[in-house]
Amino acid sequence: MIILEKTPFQEEKLLDLLKKHTKLELQMRNDIYSTYHLYPPPELSEIKTTVVYPATEKHLQKYLRQEVHLIRETREDYENVTLPFIQSQSFSVQWVYNILEKKAEADRIVHENPDPRDGFVLVPDFKWNQNQLDDLYLIALAHRRDVKCLRDLTGEHLPLLRNIAREGTEAVTKRFGVPGSQLRIYLHYQPSYYHLHVHFTALGYDAPGSSVERAHLLADVIDNLATDSSYYQKRALTFALRADEPLFKKFQEAGRA
């Protein structure tokens, strides 16, 4: 599977884009308005390319256009539908373990707290090319491997979550100059992979998965667990599933979608 994405324009290169060996083809002119096709030089025509090989059916489904449905998952739904589905699948997170064990991407680590229980590694997400801050995107990966997702979190995990919030913010500010007030820090439910991780994105960036039906702000998660240790075991959670996702079919079979 090959994913092609146009990278954001960089402000410092705009003048070069408008004058340096750039080809313009007029498409339409009307009074003071005109539109062109602009063909920039190769060094300014970067396309971020991600290759997944061999790609699984789950990878392909993630990027296909499908109808989307909202699911309201109760505690009983999680225990009877979602959890058995997760346990029956072979979702590989070996790439996560490779990062944690420094077998891959060791040179990309922005910050690490090595504590095996309450520590984490902070790395740039694949979606960010690190050439500009407009679409800043990093991931904090917990060292502990016994927490799959938001549903597993209890008051026991507050030290870990607070470390991620405090140290992660400080590391991003120190390395990239982005203050905590301009960061969106959140967890996904459902996540793309079942190993506890937290997203750090620029507040002005409309990052994939940052919508209300999937993103849970880390600060709110911490407050909820501080109030009730079993908050995420008790409450109903809403999330979106595509029509072709196996988990959606499981909810249909259970009469819950």
Side-chain angles (χ1 to χ4, degrees), residues 73-85 87 151 233:
E73 178 195 78
T74 64
R75 174 181 178 176
E76 291 73 22
D77 291 333
Y78 177 72
E79 293 174 348
N80 298 328
V81 181
T82 307
L83 184 57
F85 170 78
Q87 293 171 337
R151 281 286 190 195
Q233 278 76 55

Side-chain angles (χ1 to χ4, degrees), residues 149-164:
C149 63
L150 186 66
R151 281 286 190 195
D152 292 338
L153 292 173
T154 68
E156 170 199 348
H157 305 105
L158 283 171
L160 166 62
L161 298 176
R162 287 169 174 154
N163 284 347
I164 292 175

Side-chain angles (χ1 to χ4, degrees), residues 21-254:
H21 308 299
T22 294
K23 177 183 177 182
L24 279 178
E25 287 186 358
L26 179 67
Q27 300 300 303
M28 181 275 292
R29 180 178 286 126
N30 184 353
D31 192 29
I32 64 173
Y33 304 100
S34 55
T35 60
Y36 298 83
H37 281 171
L38 184 150
Y39 301 92
E43 65 270 20
L44 299 178
S45 305
E46 177 186 348
I47 296 178
K48 180 175 179 290
T49 306
T50 303
V51 178
V52 182
Y53 177 81
T56 66
E57 187 65 28
K58 182 176 175 64
H59 289 118
L60 296 174
Q61 288 175 351
K62 180 178 179 179
Y63 291 96
L64 290 174
R65 289 186 179 273
Q66 291 286 338
E67 289 185 348
V68 180
H69 300 265
L70 280 180
I71 300 294
R72 184 70 171 168
E73 178 195 78
T74 64
R75 174 181 178 176
E76 291 73 22
D77 291 333
Y78 177 72
E79 293 174 348
N80 298 328
V81 181
T82 307
L83 184 57
F85 170 78
I86 293 172
Q87 293 171 337
S88 70
Q89 304 298 303
S90 55
F91 296 119
S92 175
V93 290
Q94 184 58 50
W95 68 273
V96 174
Y97 299 157
N98 288 342
I99 294 174
L100 296 176
E101 297 167 6
K102 301 189 176 63
K103 294 178 180 178
E105 302 187 49
D107 59 329
R108 286 164 45 86
I109 293 176
V110 173
H111 175 76
E112 180 180 15
N113 179 328
D115 188 280
R117 180 179 177 84
D118 299 324
F120 66 99
V121 167
L122 183 69
V123 293
D125 187 270
F126 286 129
K127 289 182 280 293
W128 184 38
N129 63 13
Q130 301 183 66
N131 289 336
Q132 61 284 315
L133 298 177
D134 292 345
D135 58 339
L136 177 141
Y137 201 142
L138 298 99
I139 296 288
L141 302 165
H143 273 301
R144 60 188 300 168
R145 304 184 182 188
D146 60 338
V147 185
K148 298 183 295 298
C149 63
L150 186 66
R151 281 286 190 195
D152 292 338
L153 292 173
T154 68
E156 170 199 348
H157 305 105
L158 283 171
L160 166 62
L161 298 176
R162 287 169 174 154
N163 284 347
I164 292 175
R166 183 183 70 258
E167 296 177 26
T169 300
E170 290 172 354
V172 172
T173 300
K174 181 178 179 180
R175 174 70 70 89
F176 303 107
V178 179
S181 61
Q182 293 182 345
L183 291 175
R184 181 187 293 111
I185 308 172
Y186 56 96
L187 295 85
H188 279 157
Y189 191 77
Q190 293 281 327
S192 297
Y193 50 95
Y194 292 94
H195 177 99
L196 184 68
H197 58 284
V198 177
H199 303 255
F200 285 70
T201 66
L203 186 60
Y205 174 43
D206 187 15
S210 60
S211 52
V212 295
E213 66 271 15
R214 192 176 183 194
H216 298 255
L217 291 175
L218 178 59
D220 291 341
V221 172
I222 290 172
D223 284 349
N224 290 335
L225 292 173
T227 301
D228 183 349
S229 177
S230 58
Y231 181 87
Y232 290 101
Q233 278 76 55
K234 295 177 180 177
R235 67 155 293 180
L237 294 173
T238 300
F239 53 86
L241 290 176
R242 293 185 300 276
D244 66 336
E245 290 191 73
L247 183 55
F248 179 70
K249 294 182 173 69
K250 292 295 184 183
F251 271 90
Q252 284 183 313
E253 292 169 4

